[in-house]
Amino acid sequence: MSVAPGLRGAFDGRRELSLGVPATADIGDVVEALLRLYPRTQKLLAGDGGDAGGPYLHMALDEASARELSPGGGGMDAGCRLYVFALSRPPKGGRTGGEG
């Protein structure tokens, strides 16, 4: 797993991670392992909590990896790579841009 620079503080300063999940893991297993190993990431989960305009955790992967990590997809290949980065939360109840 590759970690974007802005999130490395939540991952003990690491730029690369290996979660050590079983080959049969799906995306839920990956997220659970991530939260267990790096508890500071919990505050970065998207949802109603968090600061407006603050960052939230986002994971990206290629189509083949997404298919394998989906429930019933067979699990993560050794060559599968996830990318973790941050997006900004929109203001609560506000618009994200433009005139209306």
Side-chain angles (χ1 to χ4, degrees):
M1 183 176 287
S2 295
V3 180
L7 288 178
R8 291 182 188 155
F11 293 94
D12 301 330
R14 298 174 187 264
R15 68 184 301 175
E16 297 282 328
L17 305 173
S18 178
L19 296 179
V21 295
T24 57
D26 63 19
I27 192 67
D29 298 321
V30 171
V31 172
E32 282 183 28
L34 183 74
L35 295 173
R36 186 179 63 253
L37 294 170
Y38 301 97
R40 286 184 278 176
T41 59
Q42 291 180 14
K43 68 179 181 179
L44 296 171
L45 294 177
D48 293 336
D51 298 327
Y56 69 94
L57 188 72
H58 189 82
M59 293 175 35
L61 54 158
D62 62 45
E63 182 180 352
S65 297
R67 197 171 31 253
E68 292 301 315
L69 284 173
S70 65
M76 180 181 262
D77 286 338
C80 180
R81 186 165 201 77
L82 293 159
Y83 299 91
V84 181
F85 56 98
L87 297 175
S88 293
R89 297 176 198 271
K92 291 184 181 190
R95 298 179 71 159
T96 57
E99 296 281 328

Coordinates of all heavy atoms in Angstrom, one line a residue:
M1 N 0.8 -1.2 0.0 CA 0.0 0.0 0.0 C 0.9 1.2 0.0 O 1.8 1.3 0.8 CB -0.9 0.0 1.3 CG -1.9 1.1 1.3 SD -3.0 0.9 2.8 CE -4.0 -0.4 2.2
S2 N 0.6 2.2 -0.9 CA 1.3 3.4 -0.9 C 0.5 4.5 -0.2 O -0.7 4.6 -0.5 CB 1.6 3.8 -2.4 OG 2.4 2.9 -3.0
V3 N 1.2 5.3 0.6 CA 0.5 6.3 1.4 C 1.0 7.7 0.9 O 2.2 8.0 0.8 CB 0.9 6.2 2.9 CG1 0.2 7.3 3.7 CG2 0.5 4.8 3.4
A4 N 0.0 8.6 0.6 CA 0.3 9.9 0.2 C 1.0 10.7 1.3 O 0.7 10.5 2.5 CB -1.0 10.6 -0.3
P5 N 1.8 11.7 0.9 CA 2.5 12.4 1.9 C 1.7 13.1 3.0 O 2.0 13.1 4.2 CB 3.3 13.5 1.1 CG 3.4 12.9 -0.2 CD 2.2 12.0 -0.5
G6 N 0.5 13.6 2.6 CA -0.4 14.3 3.6 C -1.0 13.4 4.6 O -1.5 13.8 5.7
L7 N -0.9 12.1 4.4 CA -1.5 11.1 5.4 C -0.5 10.4 6.2 O -0.8 9.6 7.1 CB -2.4 10.1 4.6 CG -3.7 10.6 4.1 CD1 -4.4 9.5 3.3 CD2 -4.6 11.1 5.2
R8 N 0.8 10.6 5.9 CA 1.8 9.7 6.5 C 1.9 9.9 8.1 O 2.2 8.9 8.7 CB 3.2 10.0 5.9 CG 3.2 9.5 4.5 CD 4.5 9.7 3.8 NE 4.4 9.3 2.4 CZ 5.1 9.8 1.4 NH1 6.1 10.6 1.7 NH2 4.9 9.4 0.2
G9 N 1.4 11.0 8.6 CA 1.4 11.2 10.0 C 0.5 10.1 10.7 O 0.7 9.7 11.8
A10 N -0.6 9.8 10.0 CA -1.6 8.8 10.6 C -1.0 7.4 10.4 O -1.6 6.5 11.0 CB -2.9 8.9 9.9
F11 N 0.0 7.2 9.6 CA 0.6 5.9 9.4 C 2.0 5.8 9.9 O 2.9 5.2 9.3 CB 0.6 5.6 7.9 CG -0.8 5.4 7.3 CD1 -1.5 6.5 6.8 CD2 -1.4 4.2 7.4 CE1 -2.8 6.3 6.3 CE2 -2.7 4.0 6.9 CZ -3.4 5.1 6.3
D12 N 2.3 6.5 11.0 CA 3.6 6.5 11.7 C 4.7 6.9 10.7 O 5.8 6.5 10.8 CB 3.9 5.1 12.2 CG 2.9 4.6 13.3 OD1 2.3 5.5 14.0 OD2 2.7 3.4 13.4
G13 N 4.4 7.8 9.8 CA 5.4 8.4 8.9 C 5.8 7.5 7.7 O 6.6 7.8 6.9
R14 N 5.1 6.4 7.6 CA 5.4 5.4 6.5 C 4.9 5.9 5.2 O 3.8 6.4 5.1 CB 4.9 4.1 6.8 CG 5.5 3.5 8.1 CD 4.7 2.2 8.4 NE 5.2 1.7 9.7 CZ 6.1 0.8 9.9 NH1 6.8 0.3 8.8 NH2 6.4 0.3 11.1
R15 N 5.7 5.6 4.1 CA 5.2 5.9 2.8 C 4.7 4.6 2.1 O 4.0 4.7 1.1 CB 6.2 6.6 2.0 CG 7.5 5.8 1.6 CD 8.5 6.5 0.9 NE 8.0 7.1 -0.3 CZ 8.7 7.9 -1.1 NH1 9.9 8.2 -0.8 NH2 8.2 8.3 -2.2
E16 N 5.1 3.5 2.6 CA 4.7 2.2 2.1 C 4.3 1.3 3.2 O 4.9 1.3 4.3 CB 5.9 1.5 1.3 CG 6.4 2.2 0.1 CD 5.5 2.0 -1.1 OE1 4.9 0.9 -1.2 OE2 5.4 2.9 -1.9
L17 N 3.2 0.5 3.1 CA 2.7 -0.4 4.1 C 2.5 -1.8 3.5 O 2.2 -1.9 2.4 CB 1.3 0.1 4.6 CG 1.1 1.5 5.1 CD1 -0.3 1.7 5.3 CD2 1.9 1.7 6.4
S18 N 2.6 -2.7 4.4 CA 2.2 -4.1 4.1 C 1.3 -4.5 5.2 O 1.7 -4.6 6.4 CB 3.5 -5.0 4.0 OG 3.0 -6.3 3.8
L19 N 0.1 -4.8 4.9 CA -0.9 -5.1 6.0 C -0.9 -6.6 6.4 O -1.4 -6.9 7.5 CB -2.3 -4.7 5.5 CG -2.5 -3.2 5.3 CD1 -3.9 -3.0 4.8 CD2 -2.2 -2.4 6.5
G20 N -0.3 -7.5 5.6 CA -0.3 -8.9 6.0 C -1.6 -9.5 6.2 O -1.8 -10.3 7.1
V21 N -2.5 -9.2 5.3 CA -3.8 -9.9 5.3 C -3.8 -11.2 4.5 O -2.9 -11.3 3.6 CB -5.0 -8.9 4.7 CG1 -5.2 -7.7 5.6 CG2 -4.6 -8.5 3.3
P22 N -4.6 -12.1 4.8 CA -4.6 -13.4 4.0 C -4.9 -13.2 2.6 O -5.6 -12.2 2.2 CB -5.6 -14.3 4.7 CG -6.4 -13.4 5.7 CD -5.6 -12.1 5.8
A23 N -4.5 -14.1 1.7 CA -4.8 -14.0 0.3 C -6.3 -14.0 0.0 O -6.6 -13.5 -1.1 CB -4.1 -15.2 -0.4
T24 N -7.1 -14.5 0.9 CA -8.5 -14.5 0.6 C -9.2 -13.2 1.1 O -10.4 -13.1 1.1 CB -9.2 -15.7 1.3 OG1 -8.8 -15.7 2.7 CG2 -8.6 -17.0 0.7
A25 N -8.5 -12.3 1.6 CA -9.0 -11.0 2.1 C -9.8 -10.3 1.1 O -9.5 -10.2 -0.1 CB -7.9 -10.1 2.7
D26 N -10.9 -9.6 1.6 CA -11.7 -8.7 0.7 C -11.4 -7.3 1.2 O -10.7 -7.1 2.1 CB -13.2 -9.1 0.6 CG -13.9 -9.0 1.9 OD1 -13.4 -8.3 2.9 OD2 -15.0 -9.6 2.1
I27 N -12.1 -6.3 0.6 CA -11.8 -4.9 0.9 C -12.1 -4.6 2.4 O -11.5 -3.8 3.0 CB -12.5 -4.0 -0.1 CG1 -12.0 -2.5 0.1 CG2 -14.0 -4.0 0.1 CD1 -10.5 -2.3 -0.3
G28 N -13.2 -5.3 2.9 CA -13.5 -5.1 4.3 C -12.4 -5.5 5.2 O -12.1 -4.9 6.2
D29 N -11.8 -6.7 4.9 CA -10.7 -7.2 5.7 C -9.5 -6.2 5.6 O -8.8 -6.0 6.6 CB -10.2 -8.5 5.2 CG -11.3 -9.6 5.3 OD1 -12.0 -9.6 6.3 OD2 -11.4 -10.4 4.4
V30 N -9.2 -5.6 4.5 CA -8.1 -4.7 4.3 C -8.4 -3.4 5.2 O -7.5 -3.0 5.9 CB -8.0 -4.3 2.8 CG1 -7.0 -3.1 2.7 CG2 -7.5 -5.5 2.0
V31 N -9.6 -2.9 5.1 CA -9.9 -1.7 5.9 C -9.9 -2.0 7.4 O -9.3 -1.2 8.2 CB -11.3 -1.2 5.6 CG1 -11.8 -0.1 6.5 CG2 -11.3 -0.6 4.1
E32 N -10.4 -3.2 7.9 CA -10.3 -3.6 9.3 C -8.8 -3.7 9.7 O -8.5 -3.2 10.8 CB -10.9 -4.9 9.5 CG -12.4 -4.8 9.6 CD -13.1 -6.2 9.9 OE1 -12.4 -7.0 10.5 OE2 -14.2 -6.4 9.5
A33 N -8.0 -4.3 8.9 CA -6.5 -4.4 9.3 C -5.9 -3.0 9.3 O -5.1 -2.7 10.2 CB -5.8 -5.2 8.2
L34 N -6.2 -2.1 8.4 CA -5.7 -0.8 8.4 C -6.1 0.0 9.7 O -5.2 0.6 10.3 CB -6.3 0.0 7.2 CG -5.8 1.4 6.9 CD1 -4.4 1.3 6.4 CD2 -6.7 2.0 5.9
L35 N -7.3 -0.1 10.1 CA -7.8 0.6 11.3 C -7.2 0.0 12.5 O -7.0 0.7 13.5 CB -9.3 0.6 11.3 CG -10.1 1.3 10.2 CD1 -11.6 1.1 10.3 CD2 -9.8 2.8 10.3
R36 N -7.0 -1.3 12.5 CA -6.4 -1.9 13.7 C -5.0 -1.6 13.9 O -4.5 -1.3 15.0 CB -6.6 -3.5 13.6 CG -6.2 -4.2 14.8 CD -6.4 -5.7 14.7 NE -5.6 -6.3 13.6 CZ -6.0 -6.8 12.5 NH1 -7.3 -6.7 12.2 NH2 -5.2 -7.2 11.6
L37 N -4.2 -1.6 12.8 CA -2.8 -1.4 12.8 C -2.5 0.1 13.0 O -1.4 0.5 13.5 CB -2.1 -1.9 11.6 CG -2.1 -3.4 11.5 CD1 -1.6 -3.9 10.1 CD2 -1.3 -4.1 12.6
Y38 N -3.3 1.0 12.4 CA -3.1 2.4 12.4 C -4.3 3.1 12.9 O -5.1 3.7 12.1 CB -2.7 2.9 11.0 CG -1.5 2.2 10.5 CD1 -1.5 1.1 9.7 CD2 -0.2 2.6 10.9 CE1 -0.4 0.4 9.3 CE2 1.0 2.0 10.5 CZ 0.8 0.9 9.7 OH 2.0 0.2 9.3
P39 N -4.6 3.1 14.2 CA -5.8 3.6 14.8 C -6.1 5.1 14.5 O -7.2 5.6 14.5 CB -5.7 3.3 16.3 CG -4.3 3.0 16.6 CD -3.7 2.5 15.3
R40 N -5.0 5.9 14.3 CA -5.2 7.3 14.0 C -6.0 7.5 12.6 O -6.5 8.6 12.4 CB -3.9 8.0 13.9 CG -3.3 8.2 15.3 CD -2.0 9.0 15.3 NE -0.9 8.1 14.9 CZ 0.3 8.5 14.7 NH1 0.7 9.7 14.8 NH2 1.2 7.6 14.4
T41 N -6.0 6.5 11.8 CA -6.8 6.6 10.6 C -8.3 6.7 10.8 O -9.0 7.1 9.9 CB -6.5 5.4 9.6 OG1 -6.8 4.2 10.2 CG2 -5.0 5.4 9.2
Q42 N -8.8 6.2 11.9 CA -10.2 6.2 12.2 C -10.8 7.6 12.1 O -11.9 7.8 11.6 CB -10.5 5.7 13.6 CG -10.2 4.2 13.6 CD -10.5 3.6 15.0 OE1 -11.1 4.2 15.8 NE2 -10.0 2.4 15.2
K43 N -10.1 8.7 12.5 CA -10.6 10.0 12.4 C -10.6 10.5 11.0 O -11.2 11.6 10.7 CB -9.8 11.0 13.3 CG -8.4 11.2 12.8 CD -7.6 12.2 13.7 CE -6.2 12.4 13.2 NZ -5.5 13.3 13.9
L44 N -10.0 9.8 10.1 CA -10.0 10.2 8.7 C -11.1 9.5 7.8 O -11.1 9.7 6.6 CB -8.6 9.9 8.1 CG -7.5 10.7 8.7 CD1 -6.2 10.1 8.1 CD2 -7.6 12.1 8.4
L45 N -11.9 8.7 8.5 CA -13.0 8.0 7.7 C -14.1 9.0 7.3 O -14.4 9.9 8.1 CB -13.6 6.9 8.6 CG -12.7 5.8 8.9 CD1 -13.4 4.8 9.8 CD2 -12.2 5.1 7.7
A46 N -14.6 8.9 6.1 CA -15.6 9.8 5.6 C -16.9 9.5 6.4 O -17.1 8.4 6.9 CB -15.9 9.6 4.2
G47 N -17.7 10.5 6.7 CA -18.9 10.3 7.4 C -19.4 11.7 7.9 O -18.9 12.7 7.5
D48 N -20.3 11.6 8.8 CA -20.8 12.9 9.4 C -19.9 13.6 10.3 O -20.0 14.8 10.6 CB -22.1 12.6 10.1 CG -23.2 12.2 9.2 OD1 -23.2 12.5 8.0 OD2 -24.2 11.5 9.6
G49 N -18.9 12.8 10.9 CA -18.0 13.4 11.8 C -16.9 14.1 11.1 O -16.9 14.2 9.9
G50 N -15.9 14.6 11.8 CA -14.8 15.2 11.2 C -15.0 16.7 10.9 O -16.1 17.2 10.9
D51 N -13.9 17.4 10.7 CA -14.0 18.8 10.5 C -14.4 19.1 9.0 O -13.9 18.5 8.1 CB -12.6 19.5 10.7 CG -12.2 19.3 12.2 OD1 -13.0 19.3 13.1 OD2 -11.0 19.2 12.4
A52 N -15.3 20.1 8.9 CA -15.6 20.5 7.5 C -14.4 21.0 6.8 O -13.6 21.8 7.4 CB -16.7 21.6 7.6
G53 N -14.1 20.6 5.6 CA -12.9 21.0 4.9 C -11.7 20.2 5.2 O -10.7 20.4 4.6
G54 N -11.8 19.4 6.3 CA -10.6 18.6 6.7 C -10.5 17.4 5.8 O -11.4 17.0 5.0
P55 N -9.3 16.7 5.8 CA -9.1 15.5 4.9 C -9.9 14.3 5.4 O -10.2 14.1 6.5 CB -7.6 15.3 5.1 CG -7.3 15.8 6.4 CD -8.2 17.0 6.7
Y56 N -10.2 13.4 4.4 CA -10.7 12.1 4.7 C -10.0 11.1 3.9 O -9.5 11.4 2.8 CB -12.2 12.0 4.6 CG -12.8 12.1 3.2 CD1 -13.0 11.0 2.5 CD2 -13.0 13.4 2.6 CE1 -13.5 11.1 1.2 CE2 -13.6 13.5 1.4 CZ -13.8 12.3 0.6 OH -14.3 12.4 -0.6
L57 N -9.9 9.9 4.4 CA -9.2 8.8 3.8 C -9.9 8.3 2.5 O -11.1 8.1 2.5 CB -9.1 7.6 4.8 CG -8.3 6.4 4.5 CD1 -6.8 6.8 4.6 CD2 -8.5 5.3 5.4
H58 N -9.1 8.1 1.5 CA -9.6 7.6 0.2 C -8.6 6.5 -0.2 O -7.4 6.7 -0.1 CB -9.7 8.7 -0.8 CG -10.4 8.3 -2.0 ND1 -11.7 8.3 -2.1 CD2 -9.9 7.9 -3.2 CE1 -12.1 7.9 -3.4 NE2 -11.0 7.7 -4.0
M59 N -9.1 5.4 -0.7 CA -8.3 4.3 -1.2 C -8.6 4.1 -2.7 O -9.8 4.1 -3.1 CB -8.5 3.0 -0.5 CG -8.0 3.1 1.0 SD -8.4 1.7 2.0 CE -8.3 0.3 1.0
A60 N -7.6 3.9 -3.5 CA -7.8 3.6 -4.9 C -7.0 2.4 -5.3 O -5.9 2.1 -4.8 CB -7.3 4.8 -5.7
L61 N -7.5 1.7 -6.3 CA -6.8 0.5 -6.9 C -7.3 0.3 -8.3 O -8.3 0.9 -8.7 CB -7.1 -0.7 -6.0 CG -8.5 -1.1 -5.7 CD1 -8.5 -2.6 -5.3 CD2 -9.0 -0.3 -4.5
D62 N -6.6 -0.5 -9.0 CA -7.0 -0.7 -10.4 C -8.2 -1.6 -10.5 O -8.6 -2.3 -9.5 CB -5.8 -1.2 -11.2 CG -5.3 -2.6 -10.8 OD1 -6.1 -3.5 -10.5 OD2 -4.1 -2.7 -10.7
E63 N -8.8 -1.7 -11.7 CA -10.0 -2.5 -11.9 C -9.9 -4.0 -11.5 O -10.7 -4.5 -10.8 CB -10.5 -2.3 -13.3 CG -11.8 -3.1 -13.6 CD -12.3 -2.9 -15.0 OE1 -11.7 -2.1 -15.8 OE2 -13.2 -3.6 -15.4
A64 N -8.8 -4.6 -11.9 CA -8.6 -6.0 -11.6 C -8.5 -6.2 -10.1 O -9.1 -7.2 -9.6 CB -7.4 -6.5 -12.4
S65 N -7.8 -5.4 -9.4 CA -7.6 -5.5 -8.0 C -9.0 -5.3 -7.3 O -9.3 -5.9 -6.3 CB -6.6 -4.5 -7.5 OG -5.3 -4.8 -8.0
A66 N -9.7 -4.3 -7.8 CA -11.0 -4.0 -7.2 C -11.9 -5.2 -7.3 O -12.7 -5.6 -6.4 CB -11.7 -2.8 -7.8
R67 N -11.9 -5.9 -8.5 CA -12.7 -7.1 -8.7 C -12.3 -8.2 -7.7 O -13.1 -8.9 -7.1 CB -12.5 -7.5 -10.2 CG -13.6 -8.4 -10.6 CD -13.5 -8.7 -12.2 NE -12.2 -8.6 -12.8 CZ -11.8 -7.6 -13.6 NH1 -12.6 -6.6 -13.8 NH2 -10.6 -7.7 -14.1
E68 N -11.0 -8.4 -7.5 CA -10.5 -9.4 -6.7 C -10.8 -9.1 -5.2 O -11.0 -10.1 -4.4 CB -9.0 -9.6 -6.8 CG -8.6 -10.2 -8.2 CD -9.2 -11.5 -8.4 OE1 -9.2 -12.4 -7.5 OE2 -9.7 -11.7 -9.5
L69 N -10.8 -7.9 -4.8 CA -11.1 -7.5 -3.4 C -12.6 -7.4 -3.1 O -13.0 -7.2 -1.9 CB -10.4 -6.2 -3.0 CG -8.9 -6.3 -2.8 CD1 -8.3 -5.0 -2.6 CD2 -8.6 -7.2 -1.6
S70 N -13.4 -7.4 -4.1 CA -14.9 -7.3 -3.9 C -15.3 -8.6 -3.2 O -14.7 -9.7 -3.3 CB -15.6 -7.1 -5.2 OG -15.5 -8.2 -6.0
P71 N -16.4 -8.6 -2.4 CA -16.9 -9.8 -1.8 C -17.1 -10.9 -2.8 O -17.7 -10.7 -3.8 CB -18.2 -9.4 -1.1 CG -18.0 -7.9 -0.9 CD -17.2 -7.4 -2.1
G72 N -16.6 -12.1 -2.5 CA -16.6 -13.2 -3.4 C -15.7 -13.2 -4.6 O -15.7 -14.0 -5.5
G73 N -14.8 -12.2 -4.6 CA -13.9 -12.0 -5.7 C -12.6 -12.8 -5.7 O -11.8 -12.8 -6.6
G74 N -12.3 -13.5 -4.6 CA -11.2 -14.4 -4.6 C -10.0 -13.9 -3.7 O -9.2 -14.7 -3.3
G75 N -10.0 -12.6 -3.4 CA -9.0 -12.1 -2.5 C -7.9 -11.4 -3.2 O -7.8 -11.3 -4.5
M76 N -6.9 -10.9 -2.5 CA -5.9 -10.0 -2.9 C -4.7 -10.8 -3.5 O -4.1 -11.6 -2.7 CB -5.4 -9.1 -1.8 CG -4.4 -8.2 -2.1 SD -4.0 -7.2 -0.6 CE -4.9 -5.7 -1.0
D77 N -4.3 -10.6 -4.7 CA -3.1 -11.2 -5.2 C -1.8 -10.5 -4.6 O -1.9 -9.4 -4.1 CB -3.0 -10.9 -6.7 CG -3.9 -11.8 -7.5 OD1 -4.3 -12.8 -7.0 OD2 -4.3 -11.4 -8.6
A78 N -0.7 -11.2 -4.6 CA 0.5 -10.6 -4.0 C 0.9 -9.3 -4.7 O 1.5 -8.5 -4.1 CB 1.6 -11.7 -4.1
G79 N 0.6 -9.2 -6.0 CA 0.9 -8.0 -6.7 C -0.1 -6.9 -6.7 O 0.2 -5.8 -7.2
C80 N -1.1 -7.0 -5.9 CA -2.1 -6.0 -5.8 C -1.6 -4.8 -5.0 O -0.9 -5.0 -4.0 CB -3.4 -6.6 -5.1 SG -4.7 -5.4 -4.9
R81 N -1.9 -3.6 -5.5 CA -1.4 -2.4 -4.8 C -2.5 -1.5 -4.6 O -3.3 -1.1 -5.5 CB -0.3 -1.8 -5.7 CG 0.4 -0.6 -5.0 CD 1.7 -0.3 -5.8 NE 2.6 0.4 -5.0 CZ 3.4 0.0 -4.1 NH1 3.3 -1.3 -3.8 NH2 4.2 0.7 -3.4
L82 N -2.6 -1.0 -3.4 CA -3.6 0.0 -3.0 C -2.9 1.3 -2.8 O -1.8 1.4 -2.3 CB -4.3 -0.4 -1.7 CG -5.2 -1.6 -1.7 CD1 -5.4 -2.2 -0.4 CD2 -6.5 -1.3 -2.3
Y83 N -3.6 2.4 -3.1 CA -3.1 3.8 -2.9 C -4.0 4.5 -1.9 O -5.2 4.5 -2.1 CB -3.0 4.5 -4.2 CG -2.1 3.8 -5.2 CD1 -2.6 2.9 -6.1 CD2 -0.7 4.1 -5.2 CE1 -1.8 2.2 -7.0 CE2 0.1 3.4 -6.1 CZ -0.4 2.5 -7.0 OH 0.4 1.9 -7.8
V84 N -3.4 5.0 -0.9 CA -4.2 5.8 0.2 C -3.8 7.2 0.1 O -2.6 7.6 0.1 CB -3.8 5.2 1.6 CG1 -4.6 5.9 2.6 CG2 -4.0 3.7 1.6
F85 N -4.8 8.1 -0.1 CA -4.6 9.5 -0.1 C -5.8 10.2 0.5 O -6.7 9.6 1.0 CB -4.4 10.0 -1.6 CG -5.5 9.6 -2.5 CD1 -6.5 10.6 -2.8 CD2 -5.5 8.4 -3.1 CE1 -7.5 10.2 -3.7 CE2 -6.6 8.0 -4.0 CZ -7.5 9.0 -4.3
A86 N -5.7 11.5 0.6 CA -6.8 12.3 1.3 C -7.5 13.2 0.4 O -6.8 13.8 -0.5 CB -6.1 13.1 2.4
L87 N -8.7 13.3 0.5 CA -9.6 14.3 -0.2 C -10.1 15.3 0.9 O -10.1 14.9 2.1 CB -10.7 13.7 -0.9 CG -10.3 12.7 -2.0 CD1 -11.6 12.0 -2.6 CD2 -9.6 13.5 -3.1
S88 N -10.5 16.5 0.6 CA -11.0 17.4 1.5 C -12.5 17.2 1.7 O -13.3 17.0 0.7 CB -10.8 18.8 1.1 OG -9.4 19.1 1.2
R89 N -13.0 17.2 2.9 CA -14.4 17.2 3.2 C -15.1 18.5 2.7 O -14.6 19.5 2.9 CB -14.7 17.0 4.7 CG -14.2 15.8 5.3 CD -14.4 15.9 6.8 NE -13.6 14.9 7.5 CZ -13.9 13.7 7.8 NH1 -15.1 13.2 7.4 NH2 -13.1 12.9 8.4
P90 N -16.3 18.3 2.1 CA -17.0 19.6 1.7 C -17.5 20.2 3.0 O -17.7 19.6 4.0 CB -18.1 19.1 0.8 CG -18.3 17.7 1.2 CD -16.9 17.2 1.6
P91 N -17.8 21.5 2.9 CA -18.4 22.2 4.1 C -19.7 21.6 4.4 O -20.5 21.2 3.5 CB -18.5 23.7 3.6 CG -17.7 23.8 2.4 CD -17.5 22.4 1.8
K92 N -20.0 21.5 5.7 CA -21.3 20.9 6.1 C -22.4 21.8 5.7 O -22.5 23.0 6.0 CB -21.3 20.7 7.7 CG -20.4 19.7 8.1 CD -20.5 19.4 9.6 CE -19.5 18.3 9.9 NZ -19.6 17.9 11.3
G93 N -23.4 21.2 5.0 CA -24.6 22.0 4.5 C -24.3 23.0 3.5 O -25.2 23.7 3.0
G94 N -23.0 23.1 3.0 CA -22.7 24.1 2.1 C -22.5 23.6 0.7 O -22.4 22.4 0.5
R95 N -22.3 24.4 -0.2 CA -22.0 24.0 -1.6 C -20.5 24.0 -1.8 O -19.8 24.7 -1.1 CB -22.7 25.0 -2.6 CG -24.2 24.9 -2.4 CD -24.8 25.9 -3.3 NE -24.7 25.3 -4.7 CZ -25.4 25.7 -5.7 NH1 -26.4 26.6 -5.5 NH2 -25.2 25.2 -6.9
T96 N -20.1 23.2 -2.7 CA -18.6 23.1 -2.9 C -18.1 24.0 -3.9 O -16.9 24.1 -4.2 CB -18.3 21.6 -3.3 OG1 -19.0 21.3 -4.5 CG2 -18.6 20.7 -2.2
G97 N -18.9 24.8 -4.6 CA -18.4 25.8 -5.5 C -19.4 26.2 -6.5 O -20.5 25.6 -6.6
G98 N -19.1 27.3 -7.2 CA -20.0 27.8 -8.3 C -21.1 28.6 -7.7 O -21.4 28.7 -6.6
E99 N -21.7 29.3 -8.6 CA -22.8 30.2 -8.3 C -24.1 29.5 -8.6 O -24.2 28.7 -9.6 CB -22.8 31.5 -9.2 CG -21.6 32.4 -8.8 CD -21.7 33.2 -7.6 OE1 -22.9 33.6 -7.3 OE2 -20.7 33.4 -6.9
G100 N -25.2 29.8 -7.9 CA -26.3 29.0 -8.1 C -27.5 29.4 -8.8 O -28.4 28.9 -9.1

